[in-house]
Amino acid sequence: MKSAYVADLQPEQAVNSLFLVRDKEIRTSTVTGKSWLQLELVDRTGTIEAKMWDNFTDIAATFERDDIVKVRARVKVYRGKSELSIEQVIPARPGEYTLEDFLPHTKEDVEQLYRSVCKTAAGVSNPWLNALLKSVLEDPAIAAKLKRAPAAMTMHHAYIGGLLEHIVSLCGLCQAAAAHYPEVNADLLYSGAILHDLGKIEELTYNRGFAYSTEGELLGHIVIGLALVRRKIEAIQGFPAPAATLVEHLVVSHHGAYEFGSPRLPMVREAVLLHYLDDLDSKMGAMRATLESKDGTAPWTARNPSLRRSLLRADEFLRGGEAGASGESPKPPGGQKAAGK
């Protein structure tokens, strides 16, 4: 059984535990010509990179991506980030592990999250939008996937139940925004919040590790989600065409810009608001995960690739324990470029 988790690993710790292989690659240095086995290993608490430098060729052929392996290694710190220096890798046999140990999971109660979304949907007063949301949420095939799907592969809410957690959080932001901007059509905004990422239940696979489905690779979640929503609309006899168009517009425009994969720009008030609230919640989710990680040099985190920056742990900074002998605070790993550069 699993004996050590990623979140608990400490520098120079000897590790003999089970991990799921998220990625596997043999790399070669262009400078030295030396090759090594590069792995990305995961469990339900996090992700860690791992390297095996010697005698790895035959071993690498014994396991594949999404396999569970037994790893003997030591924790090293490289450029402010923990990684494993591997001594041995052996494929685990069925019965030696429980799959739930390796898939990250929301800390929230999934059933409670689902009830919260259903309660929000029930409060939508427009009868057509109410019927649409009800038909989606009460579809057993959709509900089962919605309760498990992550919101993304890595960027934010990247864990089982993450999509549902993201939707609930976004609905809370919509409630506050609609109260602040009374001119907004709250029913339309809530509908967009619940439906905007629906395509992710088919874009991603999440039974044994996270990956893109073939449909996800070829179409993406916006196109998949649009098709799902359109089928539900077409099944409701008499659904008004203008309402259908606006709901579909919220789905296809929620990424906000063409360069971010949005087929159309947000062109109605509710679509613009949904985009910015969605973007805010995704970034706060990414920041939460980064700040909770141990990687980095206190009080700075390791660099977050999606945010393109390291983050300052403000609570540590304010406690004043991070200043060195010179009285100056440590700089972020590798320096820090201005945002957006």
Side-chain angles (χ1 to χ4, degrees), residues 28-47:
T28 302
S29 170
T30 57
V31 177
T32 66
K34 182 175 177 60
S35 297
W36 70 93
L37 176 62
Q38 177 84 26
L39 302 177
E40 185 178 1
L41 303 176
V42 302
D43 61 28
R44 60 181 171 83
T45 70
T47 302

Side-chain angles (χ1 to χ4, degrees), residues 8 60 63 81 112 158 168-169 190 214 223-224 237 257 299 303 333 335:
D8 300 324
F63 64 92
K81 190 173 183 179
Q112 179 142 353
V168 170
S169 179
Y190 283 130
T214 300
V223 173
I224 296 170
Q237 187 174 1
R303 186 177 186 273

Side-chain angles (χ1 to χ4, degrees), residues 172-202:
L173 291 174
C174 289
Q175 182 180 25
H180 190 77
Y181 302 107
E183 66 272 23
V184 167
N185 183 323
D187 286 348
L188 189 59
L189 185 62
Y190 283 130
S191 298
I194 293 171
L195 300 174
H196 77 292
D197 271 347
L198 188 62
K200 288 184 176 178
I201 67 173
E202 302 292 350

Side-chain angles (χ1 to χ4, degrees), residues 9 13 15 19 41 48-52 71 73-76 82-86:
L9 299 180
Q13 177 181 342
V15 177
F19 298 93
L41 303 176
I48 190 167
E49 290 189 1
K51 296 182 177 74
M52 189 171 188
V71 173
R74 186 168 294 275
V75 182
K76 300 292 183 181
S82 294
E83 61 179 37
L84 293 179
S85 180
I86 297 176

Side-chain angles (χ1 to χ4, degrees), residues 225-247:
L226 176 64
L228 285 171
V229 170
R230 182 166 289 175
R231 285 198 296 270
K232 288 297 185 181
I233 288 173
E234 290 174 346
I236 301 173
Q237 187 174 1
F239 198 101
T245 299
L246 288 177
V247 169

